Amino acid sequence: MNQSHSQPYHSELVAILKKNPIFEEINEDSLKYTDLTQVLLSNGETLFQQGAPSDALYFITKGQLRAIFTQEDGNQVVLSKIGAGEIIGEIQLLAGGKRTASAVALSDTQLVKLPKAAFENLVVKSPEVLQKMASVINQRLRHSQLVTILPNLFGPNMTYREIETQVEWIHLRRGAPLFRQGDVGDSLYIVVSGRLQAFVSDEKGFEQFIYEIFQGESVGEIALLTGEKRTTSVYALRDCDLVKLSKSAFEHLIKQNPEMMMAITKTIASRLRKQLDSSPVHNTTVNIAIVSVSPDVPLTDFSHRLVSALSAFESTLHLTSVRVESLMEMTGAAQLSPPNPQSIRLITWLDEQESKYRFIVYQADMTITAWTKWCIRRADQILLVADTTNPAPRDDMKIALLNAECITTNVSRILVLLHPDGSQEPSGTQQWLSAWPVKNHHHIRWDREADFERLARFLSGRATGLVLGGGGARGLSHFGVFLAFKEAGVPIDMIGGTSMGAIVGAQCAADWDKETFIDINKKGVAKNPFKEYTLPIISLMGSKKLDALLKMGLGDMQIEDLWTNFFCISSNITTSEMVVHRQGLLRDALKASGAIPGISEPVLMNHNLLVDGGILNNLPGDVMRQFCNTIIVVDVGGKTNLTMDYDKIPSPWKVLWSRI
């Protein structure tokens, strides 16, 4: 590369630059003293290398360049070709950092060089330059992402050049529908950036979440292949860029690339398996916003510890307003609101980080600032962090969250309650849950690193759930199973159970040690609560002994106050429905879960009669699947042969005689 010794007049370079739509409306006085030079490249010569500092942008006046990305394994991918009238090198100039690709001349090429310092001065004088650059930068970023997605989605032989004339680019705002259930299925879509969620509507119009569609995946292919109407409604979980492939374009590409059909079949099979099995861990960026919802929360220390736990799994970036400005080398960058033209720099930089990291943790400011709003806007999951020792409400943050766009979508909101240590059992959780409606909640003991690791497993899709089935007295062996996992170092992040499995599971979730478990259960066996016979009108046995025993062991403990997330199952014989207990008085839920019909007294709750959960779901692994990816199911129920050795029901006298 050389800068021509016989440089054109400065006015000629200005005239060339103003031919580009980005610079055409800039006042010539703003460009009068701008440092512009001509650069000449021979065919095959490199303009800049991947990894080099970003010191200028270039306007191509003649010839053509290609952008080449070198992968970690050394293979090179041609991202794009840039010709006369286009600019190159603008992304890193805006966002900072090093060149993400090399630029090599495909022919003798002439360029006009605009150094970084000159560009910065020009932006100050004419901020509209940034707004015009936004569409160019966005298109180039998304184009680069699509280039890397296509071989993984449609096979190694599929290139952007084959598909570029066949696709239509679509930008979808957070919460907007891509298509609705019942629409004509005349196209498929590829998610280039962002994330979608699929829902199925029942006869009453209620929508049930089915699965997520991540960056690099396709959606809509089943209806396109079958010619049937859409079976789901799909919405943008956050701002998305997609490419649309029409039916005619799809059929054309299939003829040219038959292996593309096999790749799509694998995609469909993978999605069906995802619906049947627990959701797999996806290799796509997850944005986690951390927001304080009570005063004096040690948000920075909390964020550091969570980032450390997430980093044990995959690459994690921790962003605060101060750190963003330091990394971007731009004072005030984090506090730029969308109407400000300079905000494109922040958006571009944040978008680029998503291509580098698996998790991005956005730590909000302690007050409602522009950065706090950015954190909420870009989040896939929002952690609402509260200090249980200082329960004063933060109405300002609640208003900000209610006004945020993410509230209109299914963005997960998770309540994190901080405790100094485990010396006192949690209490008053219901008040927090009433004030902050959330999908889930976690109790974190500040002195236990294991609690932070448990939270990280939930956030990263690696949580393990333990499900304990009913089984009468045999169910006491569940505690031995729990201890064995503990001794083997297998983390249990959530516990669920039915009947006796629920009773033992609740004690595990309360973090009882072995001595406490044995002591309380010995007392329970000694009291023999299942020998309290009564007049058999409602049930064969009364419940006074059982109520006293549950009160002695559990007191007024609430399900939501357990250290480990817990649920239990009962059967509603009023409505013939399964009931999942996740909140409320623990002893009532456990009594309902183990109330054998006809034998034990049913539990009256919300004007409904509840009995043993084993009637409808004795081993609720399917319920646990809603919360955890890895599920361990323990069944201690005996396999008893209950077939009758009679051709017809015997007389009562015959049965009595057989028992004598």
Side-chain angles (χ1 to χ4, degrees), residues 12-57:
E12 294 177 10
L13 294 177
V14 169
I16 292 172
L17 196 65
K18 283 179 67 63
K19 291 180 181 179
N20 188 286
I22 293 174
F23 301 101
E24 64 182 354
E25 294 181 10
I26 295 179
N27 190 301
E28 288 198 21
D29 290 339
S30 299
L31 293 168
K32 190 172 184 180
Y33 300 104
T34 300
D35 182 12
L36 298 173
T37 52
Q38 187 179 66
V39 176
L40 303 177
L41 294 176
S42 301
N43 183 14
E45 195 173 358
T46 299
L47 177 63
F48 52 73
Q49 291 277 6
Q50 182 176 329
S54 179
D55 58 355
L57 69 78

Short mmCIF file of all heavy atoms in Angstrom, two decimals, residues 12-57:
data_model
loop_
_atom_site.label_atom_id
_atom_site.label_comp_id
_atom_site.label_asym_id
_atom_site.label_seq_id
_atom_site.Cartn_x
_atom_site.Cartn_y
_atom_site.Cartn_z
N GLU A 12 -10.30 18.22 -4.75
CA GLU A 12 -10.72 17.07 -5.56
C GLU A 12 -11.11 15.89 -4.65
O GLU A 12 -12.09 15.17 -4.93
CB GLU A 12 -9.58 16.65 -6.50
CG GLU A 12 -9.26 17.70 -7.57
CD GLU A 12 -8.09 17.27 -8.43
OE1 GLU A 12 -7.66 16.09 -8.30
OE2 GLU A 12 -7.58 18.09 -9.20
N LEU A 13 -10.34 15.70 -3.58
CA LEU A 13 -10.65 14.62 -2.65
C LEU A 13 -11.96 14.90 -1.92
O LEU A 13 -12.75 13.97 -1.67
CB LEU A 13 -9.51 14.45 -1.63
CG LEU A 13 -8.17 13.98 -2.20
CD1 LEU A 13 -7.11 13.91 -1.10
CD2 LEU A 13 -8.30 12.63 -2.88
N VAL A 14 -12.19 16.15 -1.58
CA VAL A 14 -13.46 16.52 -0.94
C VAL A 14 -14.62 16.23 -1.88
O VAL A 14 -15.65 15.69 -1.47
CB VAL A 14 -13.44 18.01 -0.52
CG1 VAL A 14 -14.84 18.46 -0.10
CG2 VAL A 14 -12.45 18.23 0.62
N ALA A 15 -14.46 16.57 -3.13
CA ALA A 15 -15.52 16.33 -4.12
C ALA A 15 -15.80 14.84 -4.26
O ALA A 15 -16.95 14.42 -4.39
CB ALA A 15 -15.10 16.93 -5.47
N ILE A 16 -14.73 14.03 -4.23
CA ILE A 16 -14.90 12.57 -4.31
C ILE A 16 -15.67 12.06 -3.09
O ILE A 16 -16.59 11.25 -3.20
CB ILE A 16 -13.53 11.88 -4.42
CG1 ILE A 16 -12.87 12.21 -5.77
CG2 ILE A 16 -13.67 10.37 -4.24
CD1 ILE A 16 -11.44 11.73 -5.89
N LEU A 17 -15.28 12.55 -1.91
CA LEU A 17 -15.90 12.10 -0.67
C LEU A 17 -17.38 12.45 -0.64
O LEU A 17 -18.22 11.67 -0.18
CB LEU A 17 -15.17 12.73 0.53
CG LEU A 17 -15.43 12.09 1.90
CD1 LEU A 17 -14.89 10.68 1.93
CD2 LEU A 17 -14.78 12.92 2.99
N LYS A 18 -17.72 13.63 -1.16
CA LYS A 18 -19.10 14.10 -1.11
C LYS A 18 -20.01 13.34 -2.08
O LYS A 18 -21.23 13.49 -2.03
CB LYS A 18 -19.18 15.61 -1.38
CG LYS A 18 -18.76 16.44 -0.17
CD LYS A 18 -18.81 17.93 -0.47
CE LYS A 18 -20.22 18.44 -0.71
NZ LYS A 18 -21.08 18.30 0.45
N LYS A 19 -19.43 12.50 -2.93
CA LYS A 19 -20.24 11.66 -3.80
C LYS A 19 -20.91 10.53 -3.03
O LYS A 19 -21.89 9.95 -3.49
CB LYS A 19 -19.38 11.07 -4.92
CG LYS A 19 -18.92 12.10 -5.94
CD LYS A 19 -18.07 11.44 -7.02
CE LYS A 19 -17.58 12.47 -8.04
NZ LYS A 19 -16.73 11.83 -9.09
N ASN A 20 -20.35 10.21 -1.87
CA ASN A 20 -20.94 9.17 -1.03
C ASN A 20 -22.14 9.75 -0.29
O ASN A 20 -22.06 10.85 0.26
CB ASN A 20 -19.90 8.65 -0.03
CG ASN A 20 -20.40 7.45 0.74
OD1 ASN A 20 -21.23 7.56 1.63
ND2 ASN A 20 -19.88 6.28 0.39
N PRO A 21 -23.28 9.05 -0.25
CA PRO A 21 -24.49 9.58 0.40
C PRO A 21 -24.27 9.96 1.87
O PRO A 21 -24.97 10.83 2.38
CB PRO A 21 -25.48 8.41 0.30
CG PRO A 21 -25.01 7.62 -0.88
CD PRO A 21 -23.53 7.74 -0.89
N ILE A 22 -23.31 9.32 2.53
CA ILE A 22 -23.07 9.63 3.94
C ILE A 22 -22.53 11.04 4.11
O ILE A 22 -22.85 11.73 5.08
CB ILE A 22 -22.09 8.60 4.55
CG1 ILE A 22 -22.75 7.22 4.60
CG2 ILE A 22 -21.61 9.02 5.94
CD1 ILE A 22 -21.82 6.12 5.06
N PHE A 23 -21.72 11.48 3.14
CA PHE A 23 -21.04 12.77 3.29
C PHE A 23 -21.60 13.86 2.37
O PHE A 23 -21.16 15.01 2.43
CB PHE A 23 -19.54 12.61 2.96
CG PHE A 23 -18.84 11.62 3.84
CD1 PHE A 23 -18.57 10.34 3.40
CD2 PHE A 23 -18.45 11.96 5.13
CE1 PHE A 23 -17.92 9.41 4.20
CE2 PHE A 23 -17.80 11.04 5.94
CZ PHE A 23 -17.54 9.77 5.49
N GLU A 24 -22.61 13.53 1.56
CA GLU A 24 -23.03 14.46 0.52
C GLU A 24 -23.61 15.77 1.05
O GLU A 24 -23.49 16.81 0.39
CB GLU A 24 -24.05 13.78 -0.40
CG GLU A 24 -25.35 13.38 0.28
CD GLU A 24 -26.29 12.66 -0.68
OE1 GLU A 24 -25.97 12.58 -1.88
OE2 GLU A 24 -27.34 12.17 -0.21
N GLU A 25 -24.26 15.74 2.24
CA GLU A 25 -24.90 16.95 2.76
C GLU A 25 -24.02 17.72 3.74
O GLU A 25 -24.46 18.72 4.31
CB GLU A 25 -26.23 16.57 3.42
CG GLU A 25 -27.25 16.03 2.43
CD GLU A 25 -28.58 15.69 3.10
OE1 GLU A 25 -28.75 16.06 4.28
OE2 GLU A 25 -29.43 15.06 2.45
N ILE A 26 -22.80 17.28 3.92
CA ILE A 26 -21.90 17.99 4.84
C ILE A 26 -21.45 19.29 4.20
O ILE A 26 -21.09 19.35 3.02
CB ILE A 26 -20.67 17.11 5.18
CG1 ILE A 26 -21.11 15.87 5.95
CG2 ILE A 26 -19.65 17.89 5.99
CD1 ILE A 26 -19.98 14.95 6.31
N ASN A 27 -21.46 20.33 5.00
CA ASN A 27 -21.01 21.63 4.53
C ASN A 27 -19.53 21.54 4.14
O ASN A 27 -18.71 20.99 4.86
CB ASN A 27 -21.20 22.66 5.65
CG ASN A 27 -20.97 24.07 5.15
OD1 ASN A 27 -19.90 24.39 4.67
ND2 ASN A 27 -21.99 24.91 5.29
N GLU A 28 -19.19 22.10 2.97
CA GLU A 28 -17.81 22.00 2.49
C GLU A 28 -16.83 22.67 3.43
O GLU A 28 -15.66 22.30 3.50
CB GLU A 28 -17.70 22.61 1.08
CG GLU A 28 -18.33 21.75 0.03
CD GLU A 28 -17.87 22.09 -1.38
OE1 GLU A 28 -16.78 22.72 -1.50
OE2 GLU A 28 -18.55 21.74 -2.33
N ASP A 29 -17.31 23.67 4.18
CA ASP A 29 -16.41 24.32 5.14
C ASP A 29 -15.97 23.34 6.22
O ASP A 29 -14.87 23.45 6.77
CB ASP A 29 -17.12 25.51 5.80
CG ASP A 29 -17.30 26.67 4.81
OD1 ASP A 29 -16.56 26.69 3.82
OD2 ASP A 29 -18.19 27.52 5.05
N SER A 30 -16.85 22.35 6.55
CA SER A 30 -16.50 21.34 7.56
C SER A 30 -15.40 20.43 7.05
O SER A 30 -14.64 19.85 7.83
CB SER A 30 -17.74 20.51 7.93
OG SER A 30 -18.75 21.32 8.47
N LEU A 31 -15.32 20.27 5.71
CA LEU A 31 -14.32 19.38 5.12
C LEU A 31 -13.08 20.13 4.66
O LEU A 31 -12.10 19.51 4.25
CB LEU A 31 -14.93 18.64 3.93
CG LEU A 31 -16.05 17.63 4.23
CD1 LEU A 31 -16.73 17.21 2.94
CD2 LEU A 31 -15.47 16.41 4.94
N LYS A 32 -13.13 21.45 4.75
CA LYS A 32 -12.07 22.26 4.16
C LYS A 32 -10.69 21.94 4.71
O LYS A 32 -9.70 21.86 3.96
CB LYS A 32 -12.40 23.74 4.39
CG LYS A 32 -11.51 24.71 3.62
CD LYS A 32 -12.03 26.13 3.77
CE LYS A 32 -11.20 27.08 2.93
NZ LYS A 32 -11.67 28.48 3.05
N TYR A 33 -10.63 21.75 6.03
CA TYR A 33 -9.32 21.48 6.66
C TYR A 33 -9.21 20.03 7.15
O TYR A 33 -8.37 19.72 7.98
CB TYR A 33 -9.09 22.46 7.80
CG TYR A 33 -9.10 23.91 7.36
CD1 TYR A 33 -10.20 24.73 7.61
CD2 TYR A 33 -8.03 24.44 6.64
CE1 TYR A 33 -10.22 26.05 7.19
CE2 TYR A 33 -8.04 25.75 6.21
CZ TYR A 33 -9.14 26.55 6.48
OH TYR A 33 -9.16 27.85 6.05
N THR A 34 -10.09 19.17 6.64
CA THR A 34 -10.05 17.76 7.03
C THR A 34 -8.88 17.07 6.35
O THR A 34 -8.62 17.27 5.16
CB THR A 34 -11.37 17.07 6.64
OG1 THR A 34 -12.45 17.71 7.30
CG2 THR A 34 -11.34 15.59 7.06
N ASP A 35 -8.18 16.24 7.10
CA ASP A 35 -7.00 15.53 6.60
C ASP A 35 -7.45 14.39 5.69
O ASP A 35 -7.94 13.35 6.15
CB ASP A 35 -6.21 14.98 7.79
CG ASP A 35 -4.93 14.26 7.34
OD1 ASP A 35 -4.57 14.39 6.16
OD2 ASP A 35 -4.32 13.57 8.18
N LEU A 36 -7.31 14.57 4.38
CA LEU A 36 -7.68 13.56 3.39
C LEU A 36 -6.47 13.24 2.52
O LEU A 36 -5.76 14.15 2.08
CB LEU A 36 -8.82 14.05 2.50
CG LEU A 36 -10.16 14.37 3.18
CD1 LEU A 36 -11.12 15.02 2.17
CD2 LEU A 36 -10.78 13.12 3.76
N THR A 37 -6.25 11.94 2.28
CA THR A 37 -5.15 11.53 1.40
C THR A 37 -5.62 10.43 0.48
O THR A 37 -6.54 9.66 0.80
CB THR A 37 -3.93 11.02 2.19
OG1 THR A 37 -4.37 10.00 3.10
CG2 THR A 37 -3.27 12.13 2.98
N GLN A 38 -4.97 10.32 -0.68
CA GLN A 38 -5.29 9.25 -1.62
C GLN A 38 -4.38 8.05 -1.36
O GLN A 38 -3.18 8.19 -1.11
CB GLN A 38 -5.11 9.73 -3.06
CG GLN A 38 -5.59 8.70 -4.09
CD GLN A 38 -5.42 9.20 -5.51
OE1 GLN A 38 -4.29 9.39 -5.97
NE2 GLN A 38 -6.52 9.41 -6.21
N VAL A 39 -4.95 6.85 -1.44
CA VAL A 39 -4.21 5.60 -1.25
C VAL A 39 -4.38 4.75 -2.50
O VAL A 39 -5.49 4.61 -3.02
CB VAL A 39 -4.71 4.84 0.00
CG1 VAL A 39 -3.99 3.49 0.12
CG2 VAL A 39 -4.50 5.66 1.26
N LEU A 40 -3.26 4.18 -2.99
CA LEU A 40 -3.29 3.32 -4.17
C LEU A 40 -2.88 1.91 -3.78
O LEU A 40 -1.90 1.71 -3.07
CB LEU A 40 -2.33 3.87 -5.25
CG LEU A 40 -2.57 5.31 -5.70
CD1 LEU A 40 -1.50 5.72 -6.71
CD2 LEU A 40 -3.96 5.46 -6.30
N LEU A 41 -3.64 0.92 -4.25
CA LEU A 41 -3.35 -0.49 -3.99
C LEU A 41 -3.22 -1.23 -5.30
O LEU A 41 -4.01 -1.01 -6.24
CB LEU A 41 -4.46 -1.15 -3.17
CG LEU A 41 -4.69 -0.70 -1.72
CD1 LEU A 41 -5.90 -1.43 -1.15
CD2 LEU A 41 -3.47 -0.98 -0.87
N SER A 42 -2.24 -2.12 -5.37
CA SER A 42 -2.12 -3.01 -6.53
C SER A 42 -2.97 -4.25 -6.29
O SER A 42 -3.31 -4.58 -5.15
CB SER A 42 -0.66 -3.42 -6.73
OG SER A 42 0.16 -2.28 -6.92
N ASN A 43 -3.29 -4.95 -7.36
CA ASN A 43 -4.07 -6.19 -7.26
C ASN A 43 -3.39 -7.16 -6.29
O ASN A 43 -2.21 -7.46 -6.43
CB ASN A 43 -4.20 -6.81 -8.65
CG ASN A 43 -5.06 -8.07 -8.63
OD1 ASN A 43 -5.76 -8.34 -7.65
ND2 ASN A 43 -4.99 -8.83 -9.70
N GLY A 44 -4.15 -7.64 -5.28
CA GLY A 44 -3.60 -8.58 -4.30
C GLY A 44 -2.96 -7.94 -3.09
O GLY A 44 -2.60 -8.63 -2.13
N GLU A 45 -2.83 -6.63 -3.10
CA GLU A 45 -2.19 -5.93 -1.99
C GLU A 45 -3.19 -5.77 -0.83
O GLU A 45 -4.39 -5.61 -1.05
CB GLU A 45 -1.69 -4.57 -2.45
CG GLU A 45 -0.71 -3.92 -1.47
CD GLU A 45 -0.08 -2.65 -2.04
OE1 GLU A 45 -0.38 -2.29 -3.20
OE2 GLU A 45 0.68 -2.00 -1.31
N THR A 46 -2.67 -5.79 0.39
CA THR A 46 -3.51 -5.71 1.59
C THR A 46 -3.63 -4.27 2.08
O THR A 46 -2.62 -3.58 2.23
CB THR A 46 -2.93 -6.58 2.71
OG1 THR A 46 -2.89 -7.95 2.27
CG2 THR A 46 -3.77 -6.49 3.98
N LEU A 47 -4.87 -3.84 2.32
CA LEU A 47 -5.11 -2.51 2.88
C LEU A 47 -4.84 -2.52 4.38
O LEU A 47 -4.14 -1.66 4.91
CB LEU A 47 -6.54 -2.07 2.59
CG LEU A 47 -6.97 -0.72 3.17
CD1 LEU A 47 -6.14 0.42 2.57
CD2 LEU A 47 -8.47 -0.47 2.93
N PHE A 48 -5.41 -3.48 5.08
CA PHE A 48 -5.11 -3.66 6.51
C PHE A 48 -5.34 -5.13 6.87
O PHE A 48 -6.06 -5.86 6.19
CB PHE A 48 -5.93 -2.73 7.40
CG PHE A 48 -7.42 -2.74 7.16
CD1 PHE A 48 -8.22 -3.81 7.56
CD2 PHE A 48 -8.04 -1.65 6.54
CE1 PHE A 48 -9.59 -3.81 7.35
CE2 PHE A 48 -9.41 -1.64 6.31
CZ PHE A 48 -10.19 -2.73 6.71
N GLN A 49 -4.70 -5.54 7.98
CA GLN A 49 -4.76 -6.93 8.42
C GLN A 49 -5.74 -7.09 9.58
O GLN A 49 -5.91 -6.18 10.39
CB GLN A 49 -3.36 -7.39 8.90
CG GLN A 49 -2.34 -7.53 7.80
CD GLN A 49 -2.43 -8.87 7.08
OE1 GLN A 49 -3.35 -9.65 7.35
NE2 GLN A 49 -1.50 -9.13 6.17
N GLN A 50 -6.35 -8.26 9.66
CA GLN A 50 -7.18 -8.62 10.81
C GLN A 50 -6.33 -8.53 12.08
O GLN A 50 -5.23 -9.04 12.14
CB GLN A 50 -7.72 -10.04 10.63
CG GLN A 50 -8.63 -10.52 11.76
CD GLN A 50 -9.21 -11.89 11.46
OE1 GLN A 50 -9.42 -12.25 10.30
NE2 GLN A 50 -9.45 -12.67 12.49
N GLY A 51 -6.87 -7.84 13.10
CA GLY A 51 -6.15 -7.67 14.35
C GLY A 51 -5.34 -6.39 14.43
O GLY A 51 -4.83 -6.04 15.51
N ALA A 52 -5.22 -5.65 13.32
CA ALA A 52 -4.46 -4.39 13.32
C ALA A 52 -5.29 -3.29 13.98
O ALA A 52 -6.52 -3.34 14.01
CB ALA A 52 -4.10 -4.01 11.90
N PRO A 53 -4.62 -2.25 14.53
CA PRO A 53 -5.35 -1.13 15.12
C PRO A 53 -6.22 -0.44 14.07
O PRO A 53 -5.87 -0.38 12.89
CB PRO A 53 -4.24 -0.21 15.62
CG PRO A 53 -3.03 -1.07 15.73
CD PRO A 53 -3.16 -2.09 14.65
N SER A 54 -7.34 0.09 14.52
CA SER A 54 -8.25 0.79 13.62
C SER A 54 -7.91 2.27 13.66
O SER A 54 -8.17 2.95 14.65
CB SER A 54 -9.70 0.56 14.04
OG SER A 54 -10.58 1.24 13.19
N ASP A 55 -7.31 2.78 12.58
CA ASP A 55 -6.82 4.16 12.59
C ASP A 55 -7.44 5.04 11.53
O ASP A 55 -7.15 6.25 11.46
CB ASP A 55 -5.30 4.18 12.44
CG ASP A 55 -4.84 3.50 11.15
OD1 ASP A 55 -5.72 2.93 10.44
OD2 ASP A 55 -3.64 3.53 10.85
N ALA A 56 -8.32 4.46 10.67
CA ALA A 56 -8.90 5.28 9.59
C ALA A 56 -10.04 4.52 8.93
O ALA A 56 -10.17 3.31 9.07
CB ALA A 56 -7.82 5.60 8.55
N LEU A 57 -10.87 5.27 8.20
CA LEU A 57 -11.83 4.64 7.28
C LEU A 57 -11.46 5.08 5.88
O LEU A 57 -10.76 6.07 5.67
CB LEU A 57 -13.27 4.99 7.64
CG LEU A 57 -13.82 6.40 7.47
CD1 LEU A 57 -14.17 6.70 6.01
CD2 LEU A 57 -15.08 6.56 8.29
#
